[in-house]
Amino acid sequence: MKEIKFYPVKKRKEKPLNPPNFGTMFSDYMFIMDYDSDLGWHNYRIEEYHDISLSPAAACLHYGQTVFEGLKVIKVDDKQVLFRPLDNFKRLNNSALRMGMPSIDSDFLVEALITLLQKEGLYWYYDVPNFNIYIRPVYFATDPLIDLIVARKYTLIIFLAPCAPYLENAKVNLLVETNLSRVARKGTGEVKNGGNYGGAFYASKMAKDNGYSEVLWLDPIENKYIEEAGGMNIFFIINNKIVTPALNGSILPGITRDSIIKIVPLFNMEVEERDISIDELVKAYQNKEINEVFITGTAASVKPVDSITYQDLTMNFNYHKNSTWLKLYNYLEDLKQGKIKDVYNFLVKV
């Protein structure tokens, strides 16, 4: 393993009495490493979380050479447990490749993350249900150069955000976006590039200003096939069959999405990955063929959708204690807690 230097803080931050809201507070340490076209990756270190200095000409500020990931760590019996971290770092590499950025050893990133969590320890955990620490790796170009060429210098940082459960008690009411597209087909929609999310904020803001939780995106070519719900994947149960939009180059291959697809057969059901048009959804709703709708993502895990509004029609969905989304959510959470055998080798103990 490459040597990771450790610089301990003199004094830890004061821990709030209650878990901070999602993404609003960060722990004591972060992992950093740098890239130079002459040196390759180097200067691996764990040091105090702090602001960073960038040149106004840094390439990430001008041309969007920045990618990121999101995963979580939980505490189980005084041990920290990660869920599919290698898959997240492989996806980070895929994102970097699409943005013309140097590749990284995914296995080393898992080791670096484990080292970071070990140095951080259990200080930031709260003894409340569903508490987790969100992990944000971010990788960006730092070259002070505004020529239209691929950057030669980069920095990767992994930092931690202890937080209350995301959207735990919030209702999810989606508005179908019919005027704007999130990304272009064959563009960067299937990778976690910052521009994908920044470009979606306007539609999201308009939806929230009108009382909705998020937008439901349609495809960028025909503006008729369902793609993502905000920044999350979406599933429908139609006539007791689980259906989700097929990955097509403009949909992010979610880790939670993939996990759901893998565990569904355990419930004697199957997942069909295919195009789903908004017209098909409306027809199925009017024929009372839709059983459930749910979204998946790292932050929210599995969450039911309460309504979808398309033009003048609002489709409302109701759930009960035996709903499939809840069974899937409970299975994943029990798996992470070690209550169910990890037959898929999803878990990594710190």
Side-chain angles (χ1 to χ4, degrees):
M1 179 177 173
K2 303 175 181 69
E3 180 186 2
I4 299 175
K5 295 180 180 179
F6 175 59
Y7 302 92
V9 298
K10 293 181 180 179
K11 184 179 179 181
R12 305 208 75 160
K13 295 177 184 175
E14 185 176 348
K15 181 179 172 182
L17 291 177
N18 298 308
N21 290 332
F22 180 80
T24 60
M25 188 169 184
F26 309 103
S27 68
D28 293 286
Y29 292 105
M30 60 184 185
F31 168 80
I32 313 177
M33 65 182 192
D34 300 305
Y35 179 89
D36 183 284
S37 57
D38 294 326
L39 300 174
W41 287 105
H42 64 286
N43 198 15
Y44 313 102
R45 60 206 187 272
I46 293 172
E47 56 191 38
E48 185 173 6
Y49 178 91
H50 59 82
D51 292 343
I52 60 173
S53 176
L54 278 177
S55 164
C60 63
L61 302 177
H62 300 269
Y63 305 127
Q65 270 195 294
T66 173
V67 296
F68 67 97
E69 267 300 325
L71 59 159
K72 293 191 291 191
V73 61
I74 63 171
K75 181 168 72 72
V76 181
D77 298 330
D78 291 328
K79 300 290 184 182
Q80 298 184 81
V81 177
L82 291 159
F83 184 75
R84 303 185 66 177
L86 184 59
D87 294 297
N88 281 98
F89 289 125
K90 286 180 177 178
R91 189 172 65 181
L92 182 72
N93 259 323
N94 289 336
S95 298
L97 176 66
R98 179 60 182 83
M99 302 307 297
M101 301 163 71
S103 63
I104 312 168
D105 183 340
S106 299
D107 291 305
F108 169 68
L109 287 179
V110 174
E111 294 176 4
L113 173 57
I114 289 173
T115 303
L116 173 63
L117 293 170
Q118 289 171 341
K119 297 299 184 183
E120 197 72 69
L122 302 179
Y123 176 78
W124 284 98
Y125 284 92
Y126 289 80
D127 189 20
V128 298
N130 301 320
F131 175 80
N132 62 80
I133 292 178
Y134 184 81
I135 302 165
R136 171 51 61 91
V138 60
Y139 170 22
F140 50 95
T142 58
D143 228 359
L145 178 71
I146 58 172
D147 193 4
L148 278 168
I149 60 174
V150 172
R152 299 163 301 188
K153 296 181 180 181
Y154 300 86
T155 294
L156 181 141
I157 300 175
I158 304 175
F159 61 95
L160 312 173
C163 56
Y166 184 66
L167 295 177
E168 185 176 36
N169 298 311
K171 288 187 176 295
V172 177
N173 300 302
L174 303 176
L175 175 66
V176 178
E177 175 56 54
T178 57
N179 296 313
L180 301 174
S181 294
R182 188 179 74 91
V183 290
R185 190 68 53 84
K186 297 184 180 181
T188 60
E190 65 180 354
V191 302
K192 289 184 79 71
N193 164 248
N196 296 344
Y197 296 80
F201 283 161
Y202 177 73
S204 176
K205 181 181 183 300
M206 293 299 101
K208 290 175 181 177
D209 287 348
N210 286 282
Y212 299 94
S213 309
E214 258 297 353
V215 298
L216 181 61
W217 292 105
L218 301 179
D219 78 278
I221 298 176
E222 298 182 70
N223 201 40
K224 62 185 283 190
Y225 294 106
I226 295 167
E227 295 209 331
E228 292 188 9
M232 292 174 279
N233 297 118
I234 190 164
F235 290 77
F236 305 91
I237 303 182
I238 304 174
N239 287 327
N240 295 309
K241 177 182 287 188
I242 300 179
V243 183
T244 192
L247 301 179
N248 57 13
S250 56
I251 296 175
L252 183 74
I255 305 299
T256 308
R257 174 189 185 273
D258 182 69
S259 302
I260 290 296
I261 290 171
K262 283 181 166 61
I263 69 173
V264 157
L266 301 176
F267 295 86
N268 296 317
M269 300 182 72
E270 61 182 77
V271 176
E272 189 174 297
E273 298 179 74
R274 63 173 176 82
D275 291 341
I276 309 163
S277 72
I278 188 63
D279 291 336
E280 177 188 350
L281 183 67
V282 168
K283 183 177 179 180
Y285 177 78
Q286 292 172 335
N287 292 337
K288 299 181 179 180
E289 296 171 343
I290 298 184
N291 308 102
E292 299 178 37
V293 182
F294 59 90
I295 53 177
T296 63
T298 296
S301 186
V302 184
K303 180 79 177 172
V305 172
D306 296 277
S307 74
I308 297 175
T309 298
Y310 175 59
Q311 297 177 346
D312 296 327
L313 173 67
T314 295
M315 297 171 272
N316 294 295
F317 311 103
N318 298 305
Y319 305 93
H320 49 78
K321 63 180 181 181
N322 291 318
S323 293
T324 298
W325 82 265
L326 186 56
K327 293 178 181 178
L328 295 169
Y329 169 81
N330 286 336
Y331 185 93
L332 281 182
E333 295 308 304
D334 287 347
L335 177 65
K336 295 171 187 176
Q337 293 285 342
K339 298 176 182 178
I340 296 174
K341 185 177 180 181
D342 181 18
V343 296
Y344 300 101
N345 295 318
F346 283 164
L347 306 182
V348 174
K349 294 182 180 179
V350 175

